[in-house]
Structures are given as C-alpha cells and as structure tokens.
Amino acid sequence: MEDLEINEALLNRYGTDLAKRFFQVRQQGNQKYYYDLETGETNLQPMHLIGVLMEWGVETITDAQHVLKHQHLLPIAQKKLYRPKQMPIVKEKQLHYINLWREPEIQPDSNLSAEPFVNHLVRVLGSSEKAGYLLDMLAYRYQNPMLEHKPHIAFYFYGSQGGAGKSTFAETLTKVFGRSAVQTTNTVDALSNKGAVDLWSRTLLIVEEAQVSKGTKLYDAIKSYTGSDIVTTDKKFADVSTYEIPAQLIMMSNRTSMFIEEQDRRFFVSQWHLDIEGDRNRAWYFKEYREWLNNGGYEAIAGLLKTRRITVNPFEAAPMTAEKEQAIGAMVDPVVLAIQSFLEDNTQQRLFEERHFESLFHRYKVSKSSKWKYFLGEAGLRRHGRVLIKGKQPTVWLRKDDEFVPAKGGLGPRVKTPEGSVYLAADVYAISDF
C-alpha cells in the first residue's frame, strides 16, 4: 500500500510536468520516440526522459520508469505547422502538431522613434515613395503574419556597391519578426529543390545572393510559389502532400534583374544604393546605425510596423518603378542577341539543329543543354521535330515564321518563308557550326 501511495505521489508531482514538455512522435515496434518542446530535440528515447526525471528529483530508475509508463504523453503528427501567436503545440482537426513559430525576442515599443530606419530606407531605395511601399508591405505582414491568402508580391533589391547594408537589412527583419518567422538562404538554388516548401513555410523568405534567369526551372518555381498559398508536392524523405507556403520573397542581389516579364505583376524592383563615398565613411555610418539598432532600434521598428496605418492595397500589382521599367526594356540576353545576329547575317539558312549553336553556347558559358532550347526559342526559332533529310532524321528548328510544305513530285520536304519563297529542305539545312 505504501509503494502505491509513493508512486501516486510521484505521478502527481512529476507526471504533469513531463506531459507538458514531452510528446510522442512515433513508435517502432515496442520502442517509443519523443519530442522535447523545451530543447526542440526529437526522436528521444525513454532513457532520455528517465534521465530528465531523475534530474528533477526522482530518486531511482524504477520510480522514473513508473512515472513514464503511467503518464500519457500526447502523440504529435509528423507534419509541422506554422501558426504565429499560437501555442508551441497546436491542435487542428483533433490532431496535435508542432508549431514552428516562436515568440520573437524583440517586443514592439511604439513610444520609441523608428526615424533612423525610415531615413535609411529612403536613402538606399532612392525615394520616400518606394520606402513607403516597402514599409506598408512589411507592416501588413507584421500585423498579419499568417494569412489564408498572402499578397502575391515579391521584392528584388539590387546594387553592385559593397557595404550598402543589404545584409544588415536582412538581419534587421530577422530580429524584428523573430527567427522563427524569417527563413534566409545564401543562394536561390534551394528555392527549386525538394526542400523548398520548408523555406516558404514562414512569414518572410530572404535570399541574400540572388541570381535568376528567365525561362529556367528556378524562375518558374519562384513565380509559382509567389503566386500560391498552398502547394501539393513531394519533399525529401516524404510523400506527396499539401503544404502551406505563406512566405513573401525578398531577394537581394549584386546585379540588375534579367528575368522580369513585360506584363509582370509580382515583383517590386528597386536599386539598393548608399550615396556615401569611401569605405571609411560607410563604416562610420553603419557603426552609428547598428548602435542605434542595438539600443532600442529593433524595438522601435517593431513598434512602427505594429502601429503603422497601411495605405496601399497589398493585393494589388506591385507598382512600376524606373528600375523595373529598365529591367523589362533590357530583357534580351546576350546569348539571344548573338543567335539573332547570326540569323540576320545568314538568311539563306532556314533549318538548324541544336548542335549547330554548340560553340556559341560554350562561348557564353551556357553549360547546361537544357537551357539551349530556351535561348533558341527566345531568338526566334521554333522546334519542329524530326525530318528526313539526306537519308537522316535530325530534330530540326525552323525560323519562327517559316513553315514546312508537304513533299511534291518526288521531292523531299520543303520550307516556305513569309515572303513566299519555297526551298528544298536539303538545300537550306545548316551543316556548319558557328
């Protein structure tokens, strides 16, 4: 009877605390595995929990085993959810999930002035209008971190000048929104692989060294994830499933945009430039700026974003900036220009294979043959397919406005130009490289 009373006392004293901190993640055979809410460790074994119980004051391993055996620990689902301002373990549809969101260390203080931050944005973006739009969009996401439908707007900031504070801006957002609310990656490559859904699962996604080309798998992925709220895909070590992708993308780069389409509605494009000459002068500028950030600046920025009255409609198309107009106007790749130049200089050649442009692609360091089709299409060629020419069946490309004419009178396939000229395919087939 005495042992039973002791064990009940142990359960009452330690069992509740154990259930608040630990959750069962899976069971393999007779072996159970646990998640520690306090440390974030997962796949912990019973011996780890027994060790914690003994650190708390349970005297023997037998007593600790008794507490663990008789305490019900909630099972949690494998998928993790992002639920800002909710508890670390959230319950949805009768299941319990780990919440990726954690309370930010920085707490907003609207009594402090965020003027240095606002002035800095005006300075690096070049106008109060652009800074105001960025502040409105950041404030909207700070006030509405998790939305059923996110604004389908992404940001692209560029500047070749070193020491202009692009990394400081990324660090500032991470501090203000909280580390659990911001995902950061050094390059864009991760945005199109099987782990991309994890990067897009928070409030903001920041790429610090962005290099994107139009017509690539990466560009298509960015457009898709920016314009969607959920995605059905597979990820590494997981089956196909549906994932929430609430993040808005912010790309920082050293080069101008080379991927913006003429009718683009998604991207807000601006140069990021600090008009301070000399490394020493810029160093002093950021020394003072960072001192302000570390002495109430982060709290002031959070206070500004929390209380700012938003004047733009976050769901409208991104405003057209001078930089975006320039990017659209300069949307011709030098590889495309080189192909177009050859086509203009060699009007007698009407049929081509990809191999005919191989030396040109090597000259411009286009190593992946998967990109060749994109450049040929942009230059005004279109893929026709296999054609019997001189006893062979190569896959050929036509000039955009040319067309094949059926064989007639024992002759082989012919090519008709927009001007009405008709040539035997064998006579206008390019047989030499550039």
Side-chain angles (χ1 to χ4, degrees), residues 140-141 146-152 228-229 246 315:
Y140 184 77
R141 290 316 306 270
M146 185 66 189
L147 301 165
E148 183 178 355
H149 301 293
K150 70 184 179 187
H152 296 164
S228 304
D229 304 305
F315 296 95

Side-chain angles (χ1 to χ4, degrees), residues 372-425:
W372 293 8
K373 296 181 178 64
Y374 161 72
F375 287 120
L376 293 176
E378 286 291 295
L381 296 175
R382 58 184 174 87
R383 189 174 182 272
H384 178 78
R386 292 187 176 277
V387 176
L388 180 61
I389 301 176
K390 296 182 178 180
K392 296 182 179 181
Q393 285 189 313
T395 298
V396 299
W397 290 71
L398 281 167
R399 294 173 185 261
K400 183 173 60 176
D401 296 322
D402 286 1
E403 59 182 35
F404 268 105
V405 179
K408 183 178 181 181
L411 299 176
R414 297 170 295 163
V415 177
K416 182 178 180 180
T417 69
E419 293 78 21
S421 302
V422 178
Y423 302 92
L424 282 175

